[in-house]
Amino acid sequence: MDMAKKLTTNRQDAAMPGLLLGDVFPDFEANTTIGKIYFHQFLGNSWGILFSHPRDFTPVCTTELACAAKISDEFKKRDVKMIALSIDSVEDHRSWSEDVMALHPEHAGSLLPFPIIADDKRELSVLLGMLDPDEKDKDGMPLTARCVFVIGPDKRLKLSILYPATTGRNFTEILRAVDSLQLTAKKKVATPVNWKVPNHSRAIWVINHRSEREENLDLYRALERRGEIRRKKARLCLIGFTWHGDALV
Ligand code: BEZ
């Protein structure tokens, strides 16, 4: 059976289209804790992260929002605009935000540093393929899964991670992934397992075409002399190199 057909046939809910990497993220309109937003306008020229929650005031969601608030400066440093989503009302979100901020004594009395979208009709959750069919509310309606979408300044989807409602996220890993996305958006490199800023030092230079090697022949030869070339094929070379700031050394 053709794979696309098989995937469609296996879908529990064919009305949940979802998004693919590289797709332009929908420019939706939504009510949030900071008023009505138009998503692309909200993002401006920044990167963005949208993360969804099954429900307000639930224990796992509350720890996640508190963690996201605690490290919000790290997202700001990377020019990533944060926005959360849950399927309750703006009023509930405002009161939940206060609870969340009270969780860390140093934040008590401060405002949640990012807005929360009120998706009380679950319209966005359906549009973005975020419903978790295994978790239902008391009325039998599916809750939102824990989705993470990272959107680039070109408004295209750069990363998506989908956790079920019962598994809380690791925001440190999400920041690490953002670092990789931002590096690989600027440089023609790939980052290896567990790669991390600032103590990473090594990224991987991916050369897809012989012409790219020819254009960087001096560097290629220098790396070859140092035994830095990991794998060579006629059409694809993966090369390790040392990375300091913006320079190849
Ligand atoms: C929670 O956030 O605690 C939660 C929400 C939905 C299902 C399970 C846990």
Side-chain angles (χ1 to χ4, degrees), residues 176 179-181 183-184 189-195 202-204:
R176 189 199 70 85
D179 283 335
S180 171
L181 292 173
L183 173 67
T184 55
V189 297
T191 59
V193 62
N194 298 335
W195 174 91
R202 296 187 79 78
I204 291 176

Side-chain angles (χ1 to χ4, degrees), residues 19 21-26 28 39-40 42-51 78-83 128 148-160 178 181-182:
L19 278 178
L21 293 183
D23 284 353
V24 172
F25 208 84
F28 58 82
F39 192 53
H40 286 195
F42 168 79
L43 292 175
N45 294 321
S46 301
W47 287 72
I49 179 168
L50 188 158
F51 43 100
R78 292 160 174 81
D79 191 27
V80 182
K81 285 208 163 168
M82 305 170 81
I83 191 160
L128 302 174
V148 179
F149 293 118
V150 179
I151 301 119
D154 58 1
K155 312 287 183 293
R156 289 184 184 274
L157 181 66
K158 304 298 179 190
L159 172 144
S160 75
V178 165
L181 292 173
Q182 294 190 334

Side-chain angles (χ1 to χ4, degrees), residues 54-234:
R55 194 105 242 193
D56 292 12
F57 300 104
T58 50
V60 177
C61 295
T62 304
T63 59
E64 286 190 316
L65 271 201
C67 172
K70 198 170 178 184
I71 62 170
S72 61
D73 281 349
E74 291 298 322
F75 283 97
K76 200 170 176 183
K77 257 193 242 164
R78 292 160 174 81
D79 191 27
V80 182
K81 285 208 163 168
M82 305 170 81
I83 191 160
L85 175 150
S86 178
I87 52 178
D88 292 293
S89 65
V90 167
E91 201 180 309
D92 284 338
H93 288 352
R94 289 206 174 115
S95 135
W96 184 33
S97 301
E98 286 171 24
D99 268 21
V100 166
M101 293 310 274
L103 210 63
H104 292 297
E106 70 272 27
H107 290 157
S110 313
L111 292 177
L112 191 71
F114 47 82
I116 310 177
I117 296 170
D119 190 30
D120 32 4
K121 297 199 183 77
R122 290 172 168 76
E123 285 167 353
L124 271 176
S125 300
V126 170
L127 174 73
L128 302 174
M130 300 196 294
L131 291 178
D132 182 346
D134 288 340
E135 293 295 327
K136 305 232 167 73
D137 67 12
K138 60 178 174 26
D139 302 319
M141 294 289 287
L143 298 177
T144 333
R146 299 180 196 279
C147 296
V148 179
F149 293 118
V150 179
I151 301 119
D154 58 1
K155 312 287 183 293
R156 289 184 184 274
L157 181 66
K158 304 298 179 190
L159 172 144
S160 75
I161 317 178
L162 179 55
Y163 296 75
T166 40
T167 301
R169 285 157 283 206
N170 181 330
F171 277 83
T172 309
E173 160 56 15
I174 295 168
L175 268 180
R176 189 199 70 85
V178 165
D179 283 335
S180 171
L181 292 173
Q182 294 190 334
L183 173 67
T184 55
K186 274 195 304 193
K187 305 284 174 187
K188 202 165 173 46
V189 297
T191 59
V193 62
N194 298 335
W195 174 91
K196 218 170 135 198
V197 167
N199 56 3
H200 62 280
S201 86
R202 296 187 79 78
I204 291 176
W205 179 25
V206 184
I207 300 186
N208 288 313
H209 300 287
R210 192 178 292 277
S211 63
E212 289 169 35
R213 187 181 66 182
E214 301 307 315
E215 281 163 23
N216 296 282
L217 207 52
D218 288 348
L219 175 64
Y220 183 89
R221 293 220 167 106
L223 291 167
E224 198 171 34
R225 276 196 299 279
R226 282 177 7 196
E228 297 266 24
I229 295 175
R230 296 292 173 82
R231 190 154 68 93
K232 278 195 286 183
K233 282 189 187 169

